[in-house]
Amino acid sequence: MLEWFMALSFPLQALLATLFTWGVTALGAALVYFFKTINRNVFNLMLGFASGVMIAASFWSLLAPAIEMANEQGAISWLVVAIGFGAGGVFLYIADKTVPHMHFGMNHDKEGLPTKLKRNILLVFSITLHNIPEGLAVGVAFGAIQYTTGDPVAATLSAIGLALGIGIQNFPEGAAVSIPLRQEGVSMHKSFLLGQASGLVEPIAGVAGALLVISISQILPYALAFAAGAMIYVVVEELIPEAQQKQTPEGAHFATFGVMVGFILMMMLDVALS
């Protein structure tokens, strides 16, 4: 099975991997057919878990390889990574302030330029912004296999590990979008459609990321760091603040435990498969 997968082109590998992450998102969103409400502590645990996975993936799957590749190119590795990481955060900040959208979760605060678009459309825009970094990270990781100087099998397994980690954290993320919508009176089918849409952009971003780094090898370490910066921005800007809202003193630990578990799981996946 692995040999068959490795025989595919890198953009096609990225497409299949991100279709998997989208599918897991849809599975999570499908929980709306079984649960109309979600306990706040469980919700915070889910968001914390997704945050932990993204934080761990940002270093082991993206920043560490970016540093290694920058060194191989003879560049100043810390400067390359700093530029790419900062650019990823700045990109999402600009998108946050310009693209009209509505934050997902329990509190749907509007952000971006003023608009008369419907509430559900704004939520889809928010979901799109949120998932671009994840798809980009997976795509860049598969595109980077072409330039590996080590074992290509290990490089492929590392990229697969990143896709697995993103997919695992997409399951609670899909539920964290669809179930709160159902609580607010949105129909089950529409809640599911909006929830699974949170992963729809990932295959597009994944293929684009793979094609970009394959075409221009010199930007690879920048692209890896860019994806990491964008993911950390999402975690700090949206996931963790949402997970820390409306908590009892006892419930405040659920988000923290979720971060710890997600971080450990992603770290184990990346180290074991690299």
Side-chain angles (χ1 to χ4, degrees):
M1 184 69 176
L2 181 60
E3 291 181 358
W4 169 83
F5 184 79
M6 291 181 63
L8 302 174
S9 66
F10 298 118
L12 185 54
Q13 290 178 8
L15 176 62
L16 292 178
T18 46
L19 284 174
F20 162 76
T21 62
W22 175 26
V24 179
T25 304
L27 285 176
L31 291 180
V32 75
Y33 290 109
F34 305 96
F35 304 98
K36 184 177 180 180
T37 62
I38 184 170
N39 180 272
R40 182 72 215 196
N41 289 334
V42 174
F43 182 77
N44 294 337
L45 184 69
M46 288 178 170
L47 294 182
F49 178 83
S51 300
V53 169
M54 292 174 73
I55 293 170
S58 294
F59 177 74
W60 270 279
S61 299
L62 300 172
L63 290 178
I67 293 170
E68 182 179 345
M69 291 173 185
N71 284 326
E72 290 174 356
Q73 292 179 359
I76 304 174
S77 58
W78 60 264
L79 181 60
V80 169
V81 170
I83 292 173
F85 187 87
V90 170
F91 169 78
L92 273 197
Y93 172 78
I94 293 173
D96 230 12
K97 297 302 178 184
T98 55
V99 178
H101 63 283
M102 181 178 290
H103 291 288
F104 79 91
M106 299 291 189
N107 301 307
H108 299 310
D109 298 323
K110 292 183 179 180
E111 197 170 3
L113 298 175
T115 181
K116 294 182 179 179
L117 291 173
K118 292 183 178 180
R119 185 171 174 277
N120 289 341
I121 300 299
L122 294 177
L123 184 59
V124 170
F125 283 175
S126 173
I127 294 166
T128 300
L129 289 175
H130 179 265
N131 283 274
I132 287 174
E134 297 174 13
L136 182 63
V138 174
V140 170
F142 277 99
I145 298 172
Q146 176 172 307
Y147 305 104
T148 183
T149 56
D151 184 0
V153 174
T156 302
L157 288 174
S158 180
I160 291 173
L162 174 60
L164 284 174
I166 296 296
I168 290 170
Q169 68 94 26
N170 274 356
F171 183 82
E173 200 172 81
V177 174
S178 63
I179 296 178
L181 286 173
R182 181 72 179 116
Q183 288 181 229
E184 295 183 2
V186 180
S187 70
M188 281 192 299
H189 298 308
K190 183 172 286 188
S191 297
F192 167 74
L193 288 174
L194 290 172
Q196 63 83 33
S198 65
L200 181 59
V201 72
E202 290 185 12
I204 300 171
V207 173
L211 289 172
L212 184 63
V213 298
I214 288 172
S215 303
I216 313 173
S217 62
Q218 293 299 314
I219 71 166
L220 179 54
Y222 293 96
L224 288 167
F226 180 94
M231 286 174 66
I232 292 297
Y233 182 93
V234 169
V235 170
V236 177
E237 166 74 9
E238 186 160 350
L239 294 184
I240 290 180
E242 177 67 30
Q244 293 293 335
Q245 290 190 30
K246 294 184 180 179
Q247 290 190 346
T248 63
E250 296 78 14
H253 298 294
F254 280 84
T256 304
F257 290 145
V259 172
M260 297 294 291
V261 172
F263 188 95
I264 291 170
L265 178 62
M266 187 65 229
M267 177 180 64
M268 291 171 61
L269 272 175
D270 205 296
V271 174
L273 294 177
S274 63

